[in-house]
Amino acid sequence: MEAWIRARVTLALTLFALLFFVSRSSPPRQFVISNAERRIDLSSHIINVHLTLKVENTGTRPASEVVLTLTPTEVDHLAMVDALAIKGKRKKTTSVRLEVKPTELPDAPPIDAKYFTIYLADPLNSGESTTLEVLYVFMHFLEPFPAEIAQSESQLVFYHDTALILSPYHIKQQTTFIKTPSTKVESFIRVEPTNRVGTEIKYGPYEDCPPYSISPIHVHFENNSPFAVVEELVQEIEISHWGNIQVTEHYTLVHAGARHKGVFSRVDYQSRQFSNGASSFRYLLARLPARVHSVYYRDEIGNISSSHLRTNSLKSELEIEPRYPLFGGWKATFVIGYGLPLQDFLFESSDDKRYLNFTFGCPLIGMVVDKLTIKVVLPEGSTDPSPVVPFPVEHRLEAKYSSLDVIGRTVVVLEKKNFVPMHNSHFQVYYTFNPIFMLAEPLMLASAFFMFFVACVAYIHIDLSIRK
Amino acid sequence: MATMPASASDLLKSFKLKTKQQELLIRVSILCLVYILAFITRLFSVLRYESMIHEFDPYFNYRTTLYLTENGFYDFWNWFDYESWYPLGRIVGGTLYPGLMVTAVLIYRILRFLRFAVHIREVCVLTAPFFASNTTLVAYFFGKEIWDSGAGLVAAILIAVCPGYISRSVAGSYDNEGVAIFALLFTFYVFVKAVNTGSLAWSLASAFGYFYMVSAWGGYVFIINLIPLYVLVLLITGRYSMRLYVAYNCMYILGMLLAMQIRFVGFQHVQSGEHMAAMGVFFLMQVFYFLDWVKHMLSDTKLFQAFLRITVTSAVAVGGIALGLGMVSGYISPWTGRFYSLLDPTYAKDHIPIIASVSEHQPTAWSSFMFDFHILLFLFPAGLYFCFKRLSDATIFIVMYGLTSMYFAGVMVRLILVATPAVCLISAIAVSTTVKNLTVLLRSKNKVVQTGSTKGSGGSKSSSKALLDQSQPFQKNGAIALLFGAFYLLSRYATHCTWVTSEAYSSPSIVLAARGAHGNRVIFDDYREAYFWLRQNTPQDAKVMSWWDYGYQITAMGNRTVIVDNNTWNNTHIATVGRAMSSYEDEAIEIIRSLDVDYVLVVFGGVTGYSSDDINKFLWMVRIGGGVFPVIKEPDYLVNGEYRVDKGAAPKMLNCLMYKLCYYRFGEMMTEYGKPPGYDRARGVEIGNKDVKLEHLEEAFTTSNWIVRIYRVKPANNRWWLNRYKFG
């Protein structure tokens, strides 16, 4: 409740400031957005915003940098931003992925906003126009209100935004569509023309909006989709050149929706499944690579017996059930582990290096990860590790001692905050490894046994008694 | 070319083993196999369930071991545990036997040093099987010491699979007994060896064995009483020797000094009534030695007789007076209730309900003797016969060990464990001797035949049969039949042991398994569900009240503070909990608030038909509560001396807190097809009070099969803000 008020106050202040500065300064821009369409999907707790912008260069010089604007709250919850340039007409469209980088505007108005710049592949000449598609993914952006609900209540959340797209450019025409998960909408602010049909609320079209114009709205609606959030996921990938990759994943799962309040009644939960605990969840689905073997699912106090594994030649699906259903604010920690055949993931590159090609992501489907740590444990004796990840991550090196290790194994640690399923992609870790190291451990064991037997033989043949 | 085969055959000849070497090879390989067998037969529990800690006490041991690995020995030794016995706490370092934990951590450290990346839990799970394997080795040497190596081998095999021992040493049963039986047998073996040899080194070893035993298990009292008794018997039967003098004195003095290093035992060796027998025998030994010396000095028999009389009288008198003075002044504490209950099986039932309430402290039924010993039960008297036939210092010891431990096994179910090694050893003597006699019979006949016939036809059996000695008809056939009979019995024993191990003794009792309607295996994992819920979703400092059985598990798995646990050191505290459970809700809430309890946990089997739940334990809560607080009276909960929960139950029963917590909203629940709602499957009745209302408590969590139910204590009405502060 308090947080909500604070958020509202902040937003209002920001908007006042914005309006104030907007009226004072409007720096000349090269671009004009002739048409903008925004589709906001609120059906789960991961919010997708698709923005289609038709950008026109009205300046005199060719330009290639289009600026996007977001409020600081939005940036805090932004998991990813992606931009595509659409080329061609009608059915023959092709899309090109563009580079997006956070920037500081030198001539920005002194307002509280953050900027991202899209670098167009070819500069847009004066008078030309192009279509850009921008995807924003936000997490933790829906605010449960009321913040605490009882078992039989369903979960209502607030979504705050502005009916007008915040942009440094003049927008000639714009429309916003908000899609809610169900028709149950408690309230929403109208900014005429506003129209609500079924699960969709349409704001606009609005004509000729000056730069930095805004119009705050909120939507208060029912969202019972599981707000399952992995607070922390530590994935350890241990490579053994004897033919196995062992993956161990430590999860800290939390239900980030409205907090559960008061009684948990099993009788109600069992007998009235739909009206009770509508926002809680029991099952999770993990998609594992094909040919997975020796899968386990456990936590600190032992094995959890409620899981099913379905495998076929293309993929494996592991359906797991935490020990108890998760209501708002409830936590569960668990570990999933599995083995994979080495040849599916480890390859040799042309320059005599080896590389691991693995999915950067969380196997649990539709899961938001606040902090994802991937540890690639390279075999003992490997050198020069270098990770290749398609998006920026923090990385560092560690050492780990596993069974029979003497010098320790090199561990490449990759860390990514605010991870959403859209990030799922492959990454590579290159390293050099001399196969002779594979023999170190067997030789050690063999020599230890040899020494033992030699000691036995020696003991039998040596007379240690004092008396003769 | 011609020399080559010759040298090769020479080489072969040099490799060919002599009979003695062959025997050694066979013996060592049998021992190795037994060693492995003893280990793997205890892994049934891991295969059937998982690598986990079992039951109740092992969870405490595991928790302390974890603490020891994380914080080191000195912190462990000084550990004051705030998480149990709230608000009293428990001085853990001074109230436990650290042997087990130290052993496990030592094994863990060694494995870590050797670069094996093991988890401490795996070490704990496998400690008991590992020590069981070691026990088989000790049994072999012990058998060899008291009889011969054949008996030793048989003893090793018998003890490796004996259910009486397996019941306490399966993988996951991380309890003191796991290492203590090894320590017990080792101490006895080394002591017998010391008595046989008179060697100071062996008696020193037995002192250290005793020290290990003291550090591991409270059952060391058995050693410190059996050994003096044995010495006394030897003295009385005129078997006093210098060997015995050296062995006992060294073992007693050093063992006592070492045992004092264990904080939980402290000065009990000189202060407690249970240890006085050992001290008395120690002084008696000195008197004997003195007399022996005087006899040696005095040549006059008459004079010696008079001297003997005076010395013995005065020694006994001094001893008696010292004991009396010690008792009166309170310096020597009287025997404890546990010790009494061992000597007198009915004592606990009348005086200490908390001891009598534990199922493993009940007197043993015949069936469980049969279950745990199987054929050993018949072989045991036979072995005793052989022992008496060949009396020696060693056999006297094993006979005494066998007889006393058998008596204790009859008093308490759990002491079958102590009797098991003795029973195995004595039975092994019976088996080994019988088989040996029979085979000697067979072989000697063959020799007669061979000398009587030509060498060529001697091998064939048909010809030798005709030449049998006429004076003993069918002797060979009888021997063969008997041999087969013995092997049949032993194979039955092996089958029985395997069956018992896999079916009865491998259940962790945390996870319950049942057969579903289609013969599939259904797992009830409710305990861990509830404990994990507590661990994840309650405030860090939440206090949980439950019956003491679940205390260790809640602290170990749920990581929350408990009011009482399985240590049962404070009877009043337990009685307070018992009183709260057996009072009406508004009386109970006073007690609950005074104990600062946040959650109340009960175990309920009405939905699944799990019979060892709190309703079935409830009468013990009433008894223990009533033992301290006379407000609670057992007859109030019974109807005509009968305990029931249906409509005919006593009104106090239907409205006490335990009943309400177990059956809250159970009246709406359909448990079985064709039965009315609120049908209790554990007791097979429809419950009497279906409209249970709770005023001061609210349901916080119930597991999927209702086995564990957790209730949250609501703050008092004028403290509603606490709710937000505590749970918000």
Side-chain angles (χ1 to χ4, degrees):
Chain A
M1 183 68 198
E2 215 172 273
W4 180 66
I5 293 173
R6 208 183 308 131
R8 257 183 25 163
V9 169
T10 323
L11 193 69
L13 284 178
T14 321
L15 296 178
F16 273 127
L18 278 173
L19 285 171
F20 181 65
F21 287 114
V22 163
S23 58
R24 269 186 43 181
S25 67
S26 49
R29 293 284 165 192
Q30 283 193 309
F31 293 109
V32 161
I33 296 170
S34 54
N35 191 5
E37 187 186 283
R38 191 165 53 146
R39 292 187 174 273
I40 302 170
D41 183 4
L42 301 179
S43 52
S44 75
H45 66 309
I46 304 170
I47 297 171
N48 296 331
V49 179
H50 287 272
L51 197 63
T52 314
L53 301 172
K54 198 165 180 204
V55 184
E56 198 180 326
N57 190 351
T58 52
T60 48
R61 281 169 292 143
S64 63
E65 292 178 11
V66 182
V67 177
L68 301 171
T69 316
L70 289 174
T71 62
T73 12
E74 281 174 331
V75 172
D76 286 346
H77 296 111
L78 184 71
M80 74 185 282
V81 53
D82 213 356
L84 299 173
I86 306 292
K87 284 188 180 152
K89 296 254 174 172
R90 301 280 155 175
K91 284 175 185 169
K92 287 184 183 170
T93 56
T94 49
S95 56
V96 181
R97 196 150 177 200
L98 301 175
E99 199 185 356
V100 185
K101 272 188 184 167
T103 42
E104 295 287 325
L105 280 195
D107 57 343
I111 59 165
D112 206 3
K114 304 268 175 188
Y115 301 94
F116 287 85
T117 305
I118 304 176
Y119 298 92
L120 298 179
D122 319 305
L124 207 60
N125 289 326
S126 175
E128 275 184 356
S129 70
T130 184
T131 309
L132 296 176
E133 279 206 0
V134 182
L135 170 71
Y136 296 115
V137 181
F138 297 106
M139 50 195 278
H140 297 305
F141 203 52
L142 294 177
E143 181 193 349
F145 184 81
E148 287 187 345
I149 55 170
Q151 188 180 347
S152 59
E153 292 170 337
S154 58
Q155 179 172 265
L156 299 172
V157 292
F158 262 122
Y159 174 71
H160 300 282
D161 203 345
T162 140
L164 304 175
I165 300 166
L166 183 61
S167 170
Y169 307 117
H170 185 89
I171 303 176
K172 282 183 180 160
Q173 191 189 39
Q174 59 170 308
T175 331
T176 295
F177 297 93
I178 297 180
K179 190 171 174 293
T180 56
S182 68
T183 51
K184 286 182 189 159
V185 176
E186 290 282 304
S187 67
F188 61 99
I189 287 183
R190 289 175 168 275
V191 180
E192 293 304 338
T194 303
N195 189 17
R196 181 180 157 217
V197 181
T199 61
E200 198 170 72
I201 303 168
K202 183 183 174 191
Y203 285 95
Y206 306 110
E207 311 280 340
D208 281 325
C209 306
Y212 298 111
S213 54
I214 52 165
S215 162
I217 54 162
H218 71 239
V219 187
H220 191 202
F221 62 100
E222 184 189 78
N223 189 341
N224 277 328
S225 71
F227 277 41
V229 173
V230 177
E231 283 190 334
E232 189 171 6
L233 168 61
V234 180
Q235 189 180 43
E236 192 178 277
I237 303 162
E238 186 162 342
I239 301 167
S240 159
H241 277 252
W242 290 97
N244 189 40
I245 291 182
Q246 182 64 37
V247 184
T248 319
E249 293 161 356
H250 297 260
Y251 291 89
T252 310
L253 186 73
V254 69
H255 187 304
R259 293 182 65 85
H260 177 71
K261 160 180 88 176
V263 174
F264 167 70
S265 168
R266 178 66 72 171
V267 126
D268 289 339
Y269 186 75
Q270 277 173 344
S271 57
R272 289 175 277 274
Q273 284 269 351
F274 292 101
S275 64
N276 261 283
S279 65
S280 70
F281 59 92
R282 274 175 79 183
Y283 299 98
L284 302 167
L285 193 66
R287 189 159 290 151
L288 305 179
R291 303 218 282 154
V292 68
H293 63 88
S294 10
V295 179
Y296 64 84
Y297 170 46
R298 56 176 300 138
D299 60 22
E300 290 128 294
I301 61 172
N303 192 34
I304 308 172
S305 42
S306 46
S307 60
H308 301 279
L309 180 69
R310 287 182 293 269
T311 53
N312 60 29
S313 58
L314 293 176
K315 63 173 195 293
S316 315
E317 280 188 334
L318 176 71
E319 189 185 82
I320 58 175
E321 191 182 339
R323 287 192 188 272
Y324 40 82
L326 268 93
F327 281 81
W330 288 12
K331 268 188 183 179
T333 55
F334 53 88
V335 181
I336 298 177
Y338 46 90
L340 295 167
L342 186 76
Q343 66 269 29
D344 293 5
F345 299 95
L346 196 78
F347 308 95
E348 266 185 67
S349 69
S350 49
D351 54 343
D352 258 7
K353 276 195 158 190
R354 284 150 211 272
Y355 68 96
L356 171 86
N357 187 28
F358 208 77
T359 314
F360 194 104
C362 165
L364 290 182
I365 289 172
M367 202 62 73
V368 160
V369 186
D370 289 354
K371 189 182 172 197
L372 174 64
T373 311
I374 294 186
K375 296 182 175 179
V376 181
V377 184
L378 302 175
E380 199 174 22
S382 43
T383 46
D384 325 320
S386 62
V388 178
V389 190
F391 41 83
V393 290
E394 286 177 37
H395 87 271
R396 61 174 194 274
L397 293 180
E398 275 179 5
K400 186 198 168 183
Y401 290 91
S402 186
S403 282
L404 297 176
D405 284 355
V406 179
I407 51 175
R409 302 176 183 218
T410 316
V411 184
V412 181
V413 185
L414 307 169
E415 271 184 7
K416 167 96 183 104
K417 291 211 166 84
N418 288 358
F419 181 90
V420 285
M422 294 79 180
H423 278 121
N424 272 346
S425 55
H426 286 278
F427 75 101
Q428 291 80 33
V429 175
Y430 289 83
Y431 63 95
T432 43
F433 178 73
N434 191 346
I436 202 81
F437 278 105
M438 282 167 72
L439 293 175
E441 285 171 10
L443 281 178
M444 251 163 62
L445 278 182
S447 49
F449 275 102
F450 181 71
M451 296 296 280
F452 175 71
F453 290 131
V454 165
C456 282
V457 169
Y459 175 76
I460 287 171
H461 285 273
I462 295 170
D463 187 7
L464 286 172
S465 64
I466 303 166
R467 264 175 262 157
K468 286 286 170 196
Chain B
M1 283 302 281
T3 52
M4 275 307 282
S7 67
S9 74
D10 277 352
L11 205 71
L12 264 177
K13 232 173 229 169
S14 69
F15 271 115
K16 212 173 166 186
L17 299 166
K18 292 173 207 138
T19 322
K20 210 171 177 186
Q21 283 171 325
Q22 274 176 344
E23 195 256 340
L24 180 75
L25 188 68
I26 291 172
R27 205 167 1 129
V28 168
S29 39
I30 288 179
L31 267 182
C32 286
L33 288 177
V34 170
Y35 194 86
I36 296 164
L37 173 74
F39 192 81
I40 58 174
T41 193
R42 285 162 169 82
L43 297 184
F44 266 114
S45 58
V46 174
L47 296 181
R48 286 278 160 96
Y49 295 90
E50 59 185 273
S51 165
M52 68 183 294
I53 308 286
H54 291 193
E55 309 233 332
F56 302 105
D57 287 16
Y59 269 97
F60 170 74
N61 300 330
Y62 176 57
R63 181 169 161 245
T64 44
T65 311
L66 218 57
Y67 190 89
L68 180 58
T69 32
E70 281 162 10
N71 299 299
F73 188 72
Y74 286 101
D75 274 359
F76 170 71
W77 210 228
N78 296 321
W79 182 17
F80 185 82
D81 181 16
Y82 299 95
E83 289 200 347
S84 57
W85 292 96
Y86 183 85
L88 309 171
R90 175 181 173 187
I91 308 158
V92 173
T95 56
L96 54 48
Y97 294 101
L100 179 70
M101 298 93 194
V102 173
T103 310
V105 170
L106 211 63
I107 295 173
Y108 173 71
R109 292 264 163 84
I110 290 170
L111 287 177
R112 280 269 157 171
F113 176 73
L114 294 177
R115 297 281 184 227
F116 289 99
V118 290
H119 189 268
I120 183 72
R121 186 189 58 244
E122 314 299 337
V123 177
C124 292
V125 164
L126 296 179
T127 297
F130 172 63
F131 271 86
S133 290
N134 294 340
T135 310
T136 60
L137 286 190
V138 179
Y140 164 71
F141 286 111
F142 202 0
K144 194 179 167 192
E145 188 65 31
I146 51 178
W147 204 260
D148 55 17
S149 59
L153 273 185
V154 179
I157 297 167
L158 291 182
I159 205 166
V161 292
C162 186
Y165 185 26
I166 285 181
S167 68
R168 287 317 189 103
S169 61
V170 291
S173 175
Y174 179 57
D175 211 347
N176 294 334
E177 290 94 326
V179 298
I181 292 304
F182 165 78
L184 180 91
L185 206 61
F186 179 76
T187 313
F188 283 158
Y189 159 62
V190 183
F191 183 72
V192 167
K193 185 106 186 168
V195 172
N196 276 351
T197 56
S199 143
L200 208 54
W202 284 115
S203 50
L204 190 70
S206 78
F208 276 100
Y210 177 67
F211 171 59
Y212 186 56
M213 177 71 187
V214 173
S215 76
W217 193 35
Y220 76 89
V221 177
F222 180 63
I223 297 184
I224 201 66
N225 282 297
L226 178 66
I227 285 181
L229 193 67
Y230 163 65
V231 172
L232 198 66
V233 167
L234 287 192
L235 292 185
I236 290 169
T237 49
R239 284 171 170 272
Y240 170 77
S241 62
M242 202 56 201
R243 291 175 285 122
L244 184 68
Y245 183 82
V246 168
Y248 182 73
N249 283 338
C250 172
M251 186 263 166
Y252 176 66
I253 292 294
L254 278 176
M256 179 173 73
L257 288 176
L258 285 170
M260 283 179 185
Q261 311 309 312
I262 306 296
R263 276 173 70 199
F264 192 27
V265 177
F267 290 112
Q268 279 185 33
H269 276 81
V270 289
Q271 286 186 340
S272 130
E274 285 135 33
H275 302 77
M276 281 304 125
M279 189 178 274
V281 169
F282 172 71
F283 285 120
L284 202 64
M285 287 289 269
Q286 312 314 318
V287 173
F288 248 81
Y289 184 77
F290 178 65
L291 287 174
D292 220 36
W293 179 70
V294 170
K295 190 181 176 185
H296 181 70
M297 301 301 276
L298 281 180
S299 43
D300 193 350
T301 349
K302 220 174 177 185
L303 213 63
F304 177 71
Q305 287 295 331
F307 182 76
L308 181 72
R309 222 167 294 140
I310 296 165
T311 325
V312 169
T313 322
S314 53
V316 169
V318 167
I321 289 167
L323 195 65
L325 275 178
M327 289 285 217
V328 169
S329 65
Y331 181 76
I332 297 172
S333 65
W335 289 353
T336 58
R338 276 170 200 269
F339 199 69
Y340 267 122
S341 63
L342 271 183
L343 301 179
D344 174 13
T346 57
Y347 179 83
K349 211 175 170 191
D350 301 333
H351 295 88
I352 331 166
I354 204 152
I355 290 180
S357 75
V358 182
S359 63
E360 60 185 20
H361 290 166
Q362 305 301 320
T364 317
W366 265 108
S367 57
S368 56
F369 272 118
M370 196 58 210
F371 199 64
D372 279 355
F373 289 141
H374 200 237
I375 60 161
L376 304 187
L377 212 53
F378 309 109
L379 292 174
F380 180 64
L384 283 182
Y385 164 75
F386 284 118
C387 286
F388 275 111
K389 239 177 98 179
R390 203 177 102 182
L391 270 187
S392 68
D393 287 357
T395 47
I396 287 178
F397 181 83
I398 196 68
V399 165
M400 290 195 54
Y401 175 26
L403 290 178
T404 47
S405 62
M406 242 350 203
Y407 172 75
F408 292 131
V411 174
M412 260 191 206
V413 180
R414 72 189 285 200
L415 292 181
I416 281 189
L417 178 72
V418 178
T420 304
V423 171
C424 286
L425 277 165
I426 293 173
S427 306
I429 290 172
V431 171
S432 163
T433 319
T434 314
V435 171
K436 203 172 191 175
N437 288 347
L438 290 175
T439 43
V440 164
L441 210 65
L442 283 179
R443 297 184 117 211
S444 67
K445 282 292 166 283
N446 278 348
K447 261 180 200 163
V448 171
V449 168
Q450 268 176 10
T451 49
S453 64
T454 57
K455 244 190 172 178
S457 65
S460 76
K461 279 184 179 173
S462 55
S463 64
S464 63
K465 213 173 190 178
L467 289 160
L468 262 176
D469 196 349
Q470 292 300 310
S471 61
Q472 288 160 310
F474 308 120
Q475 195 177 24
K476 196 183 168 190
N477 289 349
I480 289 174
L482 277 175
L483 260 184
F484 271 109
F487 283 121
Y488 175 74
L489 272 182
L490 288 173
S491 66
R492 292 304 307 161
Y493 172 73
T495 329
H496 171 82
C497 292
T498 317
W499 176 78
V500 168
T501 314
S502 72
E503 291 297 317
Y505 288 145
S506 293
S507 163
S509 92
I510 296 287
V511 182
L512 311 165
R515 294 260 165 240
H518 308 290
N520 53 331
R521 194 151 168 263
V522 185
I523 291 219
F524 298 126
D525 204 357
D526 285 41
Y527 280 110
R528 287 193 294 183
E529 183 183 340
Y531 297 145
F532 205 64
W533 182 85
L534 276 177
R535 188 191 187 105
Q536 297 287 340
N537 301 313
T538 57
Q540 192 72 42
D541 60 344
K543 271 76 76 178
V544 183
M545 183 173 97
S546 72
W547 191 235
W548 60 265
D549 295 19
Y550 317 108
Y552 279 165
Q553 294 179 352
I554 294 172
T555 37
M557 284 193 270
N559 195 19
R560 291 294 174 266
T561 308
V562 293
I563 306 297
V564 290
D565 68 24
N566 310 45
N567 186 234
T568 66
W569 64 274
N570 188 326
N571 191 35
T572 317
H573 216 49
I574 291 179
T576 314
V577 173
R579 185 186 174 187
M581 292 296 193
S582 37
S583 310
Y584 293 126
E585 195 192 344
D586 35 345
E587 290 161 22
I589 196 70
E590 299 292 318
I591 301 170
I592 287 174
R593 292 228 170 93
S594 68
L595 288 174
D596 197 16
V597 171
D598 299 310
Y599 290 90
V600 182
L601 180 146
V602 293
V603 172
F604 172 62
V607 176
T608 47
Y610 171 58
S611 62
S612 54
D613 66 350
D614 277 351
I615 291 283
N616 282 356
K617 288 174 185 169
F618 182 60
L619 271 193
W620 287 110
M621 304 182 201
V622 173
R623 275 175 208 152
I624 293 170
V628 176
F629 305 102
V631 218
I632 306 293
K633 293 181 196 72
E634 193 180 333
D636 290 350
Y637 300 86
L638 304 175
V639 176
N640 301 327
E642 202 186 337
Y643 179 64
R644 46 200 301 188
V645 294
D646 56 356
K647 279 206 175 62
K652 181 131 197 196
M653 177 73 208
L654 289 179
N655 288 296
C656 67
L657 186 68
M658 178 52 80
Y659 190 94
K660 279 184 155 188
L661 295 186
C662 284
Y663 292 119
Y664 179 65
R665 298 197 69 183
F666 183 64
E668 301 166 33
M669 176 85 179
M670 291 289 290
T671 52
E672 211 167 307
Y673 181 74
K675 293 279 196 283
Y679 178 78
D680 186 332
R681 291 176 70 188
R683 283 150 288 271
V685 291
E686 189 186 345
I687 58 164
N689 182 0
K690 286 190 186 176
D691 185 33
V692 176
K693 291 262 185 295
L694 288 171
E695 200 184 333
H696 304 289
L697 296 145
E698 61 181 9
E699 187 177 358
F701 187 72
T702 299
T703 56
S704 49
N705 298 300
W706 290 55
I707 289 179
V708 184
R709 311 197 69 182
I710 301 169
Y711 292 85
R712 186 185 295 120
V713 181
K714 290 190 204 165
N717 282 337
N718 56 352
R719 307 230 174 145
W720 56 269
W721 44 268
L722 261 182
N723 203 3
R724 182 160 292 270
Y725 163 70
K726 272 186 150 169
F727 308 112

